Amino acid sequence: MVTAFVLSGGGSLGAVQVGMLQALAERGVEPDLLVGTSAGALNASYVAGHGGGRAALEDLGDVWRGLRRRDVFPLNAARAAGAVAGAVSSLCSSEALRRLARHHLSFDRLEDASIPLHLVATDVRSGEEVLLSTGDAVTAVMASAAIPAVFPAVPIDGRHLVDGGIADNCAIMQAISLGADRVYVLPGGYACALDRPPATALGSALQALTLLIEQRLLFDVANAADLVDLRLLPPLCPLAVSSIDFRHGGELIDRARATSLAWLDDAADRSPRPERFLSLHSHGAHRGRVPAARKPAAAPTTETPAPVTDG
């Protein structure tokens, strides 16, 4: 049986996937292939090179615990003004993210990864989904994570590529087409418990993107559940951490690990309706309560959700 791990995007919420990976490793679940998108491309690439053992995943956790917004989204007033004036194509330079990817990848080309690795990007002109399985690894990660207007598009083989989440944030069908007959989906989730809207343009853009991703993922999971042995790890809920707030990496990892271990030990991964975890909802005072179907995803903790900021 071929087991695939499919890792979605989500900005700072990519830390959630580290806890999920740790739980899967603790229960002896290992991938035969990896498919990653956006933040999931970074995590998948790390595992593809360093492996999914305890030490490697602890090191990956340390990476996420140490990240801050400037390490991924370096905001600069002059560049922002240039973006508004049309002098540059993106709000942020991609150099900080490129340095991060280059520092932590242990192979030069995708085809050299120890575990087969495939990254998803989007052709910005056609909107087509592009699966990257060969070529320069850092460039492929940059293309998969190039959020439109936030980072510049990445040219590869005559195409200009942007964030894979635009076309297919959680590439379940790609994993199936690559030969997987068991697919573990590791979603970053979204902030369902914000006490106020994001205060910045960047925060608003990423929150909107994560909501769009969640809606697409719900349909993709429902459609693929009858085609393959599909196991969707539950997103964290309630979650009050913005997708551009990198200060809570440790908390997200620990909560996701605990939630995922409980889910695995309860045999909840055998659910015939995995999409039940994905219903859009809010915990705000003026919104409806969390749907009953979402409740199994709540982390086994009594901690109060972290206050949301864009920082």
Side-chain angles (χ1 to χ4, degrees):
M1 179 168 284
V2 177
T3 298
F5 286 4
V6 177
L7 291 81
S8 70
S12 66
L13 303 185
V16 170
Q17 294 171 347
V18 181
M20 293 174 171
L21 288 164
Q22 291 175 347
L24 289 167
E26 287 186 44
R27 294 299 180 261
V29 183
E30 300 178 352
D32 297 304
L33 65 92
L34 294 152
V35 182
T37 303
S38 200
L42 289 162
N43 286 330
S45 298
Y46 189 95
V47 172
H50 296 274
R54 179 175 179 178
L57 294 176
E58 286 181 351
D59 288 344
L60 180 58
D62 289 341
V63 172
W64 279 96
R65 287 183 173 91
L67 283 180
R68 292 298 179 264
R69 185 178 63 188
R70 63 181 176 274
D71 300 319
V72 181
F73 303 115
L75 295 175
N76 177 281
R79 186 178 181 95
V84 172
V88 293
S89 63
S90 63
L91 183 64
C92 298
S93 166
S94 60
E95 286 309 305
L97 184 58
R98 183 177 292 276
R99 285 194 298 270
L100 181 68
R102 186 184 298 117
H103 181 71
H104 293 292
L105 263 64
S106 61
F107 50 90
D108 294 327
R109 296 181 63 82
L110 293 176
E111 58 266 38
D112 295 333
S114 300
I115 303 172
L117 172 66
H118 309 270
L119 305 182
V120 178
T122 303
D123 186 317
V124 72
R125 286 180 288 187
S126 69
E128 292 177 296
E129 180 179 354
V130 178
L131 188 68
L132 301 171
S133 303
T134 61
D136 184 76
V138 171
T139 302
V141 169
M142 297 303 298
S144 184
I147 302 168
V150 177
F151 294 125
V154 177
I156 297 180
D157 295 335
R159 288 177 147 177
H160 285 76
L161 304 182
V162 295
D163 196 305
I166 304 302
D168 190 356
N169 183 66
C170 194
I172 298 168
M173 296 307 297
Q174 291 286 7
I176 295 173
S177 69
L178 290 164
D181 37 33
R182 174 179 295 160
V183 177
Y184 283 86
V185 179
L186 285 65
Y190 72 101
C192 58
L194 296 176
D195 59 358
R196 61 183 182 274
T200 66
L202 181 59
S204 296
L206 264 71
Q207 174 68 4
L209 182 60
T210 57
L211 291 172
L212 176 65
I213 285 167
E214 189 81 357
Q215 293 181 67
R216 169 68 184 268
L217 179 58
L218 192 157
F219 288 106
D220 287 349
V221 168
N223 290 334
D226 293 332
L227 302 177
V228 69
D229 181 359
L230 186 66
R231 307 187 180 195
L232 173 74
L233 280 82
L236 294 184
C237 177
L239 181 59
V241 178
S242 163
S243 54
I244 65 167
D245 186 353
F246 287 83
R247 298 173 304 165
H248 303 283
E251 172 199 338
L252 296 176
I253 292 168
D254 293 342
R255 284 185 62 192
R257 177 181 170 275
T259 297
S260 299
L261 284 172
W263 175 80
L264 288 164
D265 292 342
D266 289 344
D269 58 324
R270 310 303 197 273
S271 168
R273 293 185 57 250
E275 73 276 6
R276 74 193 191 283
F277 289 129
L278 299 174
S279 299
L280 289 175
H281 64 279
S282 169
H283 297 272
H286 301 292
R287 304 295 181 191
R289 293 183 177 180
V290 55
R294 184 81 180 202
K295 289 180 180 178
T301 176
T302 57
E303 297 179 16
T304 302
V308 61
T309 74
D310 286 347

